[in-house]
Amino acid sequence: MRVFVTGGTGFIGHYVVKALLDNGHNVVIATRHPNKVPSLCANDKVSFVKASLTDFELMEKGMAGCEACIHIALGWGDTPVSMLMNDTRATVNLLEIAARVGCKKFIYTSSTAAMGVMRPSMREATSNLPMDLYGSTKAAGEAFVLGFRHGYGNSFSNVEMKRNIIRPGYTFGNPAFPDGCCQPDRRFFDMALAIKNGRDINVIKNDGTQFIHASQQAQLYLNLLESDKNEEIFLGLGSVWISWKEIAEMMLSLNPTSKSKIVEEDLQWSDDPMLFDVRKIKDHFGLVFDAHDFMMDHVKWTYEHA
């Protein structure tokens, strides 16, 4: 399959591209930085479109001949209108372009931030109550993806393109290629530097999440792409909750002589965290992700590179 991927040189994106290539697909990457991952430039199954998300003519030229579009890139903004113009508008245009050029499948990368406020039951059918502009634009993108069943007049009288959504949670990992990129969150590196310099590690008591490794996230994308699902939403999260204190303990274990201590700030968060229900990816694809082994490997990699 020839797959068009926006943001394919970014962190999650280059893991998704690796999974696609490993499974025999050809990839067209739309990115502002085509030279960001040299290993991809050297792969004869990869071609590039140098473009921003709002370069719609270039996007359409690059998507021509592709059977699927995986939209991962984010268009950022500091105001509601700039987020609307840079991200939501881009998603809607990509949807139309993908349908117009004959793509059979479209996967939209949303976020658990679209769901927003944590409630006792957090699953795919839970209503979206976003808490910030990022969550709002992702929720808006989801609405357009699901609602694009037909257009008006003679345009898109019926949309046969299968449209699905993945909501990634906290995704971590080392670079997918030796010259690839790491996740943007600096907390792992801050911990490593604190330990190397004998400073205390400050964490919030009971702070954590259902971490998922980027290769596990990519497996979900691949399974969804190769399925016949349509108009479905899937949470991309691990099944096991891991605290930042546990991560700090892993990091400290690499340097037993360090004078660093873990200092917890108590904000009265419950000892029993609210969890996302990830049974749907198990029921549909047989996927159950525990990130612990990957986490220790990432902690070691971070410590070595800090």
Side-chain angles (χ1 to χ4, degrees), residues 216-228:
Q216 298 171 322
Q217 196 74 261
Q219 185 63 47
L220 175 58
Y221 277 89
L222 184 67
N223 283 27
L224 181 55
L225 175 71
E226 296 180 344
S227 75
D228 61 355

Side-chain angles (χ1 to χ4, degrees), residues 19-288:
L20 292 171
L21 295 172
D22 288 347
N23 283 270
H25 299 288
N26 291 284
V27 182
V28 180
I29 298 175
T31 176
R32 292 174 300 165
H33 308 291
N35 297 318
K36 185 176 179 180
V37 185
S39 292
L40 292 177
C41 297
N43 193 307
D44 59 7
K45 288 188 175 183
V46 179
S47 57
F48 291 88
V49 176
K50 185 177 181 180
S52 69
L53 277 179
T54 53
D55 291 329
F56 303 127
E57 290 186 7
L58 292 174
M59 289 287 188
E60 185 156 0
K61 288 179 181 178
M63 208 184 299
C66 292
E67 299 163 82
C69 174
I70 300 178
H71 178 28
I72 300 174
L74 170 69
W76 194 252
D78 295 323
T79 66
V81 171
S82 60
M83 286 294 281
L84 172 69
M85 297 302 290
N86 297 335
D87 192 86
T88 306
R89 180 180 65 131
T91 296
V92 174
N93 271 279
L94 283 170
L95 268 171
E96 285 205 11
I97 291 168
R100 188 160 54 241
V101 303
C103 282
K104 303 301 183 186
K105 299 179 179 183
F106 187 97
I107 297 176
Y108 174 59
T109 303
S110 181
S111 169
T112 53
M115 304 174 74
V117 179
M118 289 295 291
R119 284 147 281 173
S121 177
M122 296 293 282
R123 57 183 186 273
E124 285 82 356
T126 303
S127 60
N128 285 336
L129 296 173
M131 300 173 64
D132 54 25
L133 293 180
Y134 173 65
S136 296
T137 198
K138 288 302 180 185
E142 288 187 5
F144 277 99
V145 170
L146 295 176
F148 187 44
R149 295 182 175 183
H150 59 80
Y152 298 92
N154 295 323
S155 299
F156 310 111
S157 55
N158 289 295
V159 177
E160 297 180 359
M161 180 175 66
K162 290 180 168 60
R163 295 153 287 108
N164 294 288
I165 295 163
I166 292 177
R167 291 176 181 158
Y170 193 116
T171 308
F172 72 97
N174 312 341
F177 301 93
D179 52 9
C181 54
C182 187
Q183 63 186 30
D185 192 335
R186 299 296 303 177
R187 280 178 283 185
F188 285 91
F189 284 100
D190 290 343
M191 281 186 183
L193 290 172
I195 293 170
K196 287 185 175 185
N197 292 296
R199 300 194 308 268
D200 290 341
I201 306 169
N202 297 301
V203 299
I204 297 172
K205 186 177 180 180
N206 296 327
D207 184 15
T209 190
Q210 289 159 261
F211 288 92
I212 182 171
H213 189 264
S215 65
Q216 298 171 322
Q217 196 74 261
Q219 185 63 47
L220 175 58
Y221 277 89
L222 184 67
N223 283 27
L224 181 55
L225 175 71
E226 296 180 344
S227 75
D228 61 355
K229 307 296 182 187
N230 189 31
E231 297 179 358
E232 297 281 1
I233 301 173
F234 295 95
L235 288 170
L237 287 158
S239 60
V240 180
W241 189 87
I242 301 175
S243 71
W244 282 100
K245 180 182 179 182
E246 185 177 353
I247 294 170
E249 290 170 342
M250 290 182 188
M251 194 83 72
L252 269 173
S253 71
L254 301 177
N255 188 346
T257 62
S258 173
K259 296 180 180 179
S260 300
K261 300 186 300 295
I262 299 172
V263 178
E264 291 185 280
E265 181 182 3
D266 191 352
L267 300 181
Q268 302 302 309
W269 291 5
S270 172
D271 291 337
D272 299 312
M274 286 190 231
L275 301 177
F276 291 91
D277 185 340
V278 292
R279 284 177 292 180
K280 187 173 180 180
I281 60 173
K282 179 182 179 181
D283 293 342
H284 284 253
F285 303 120
L287 297 176
V288 180

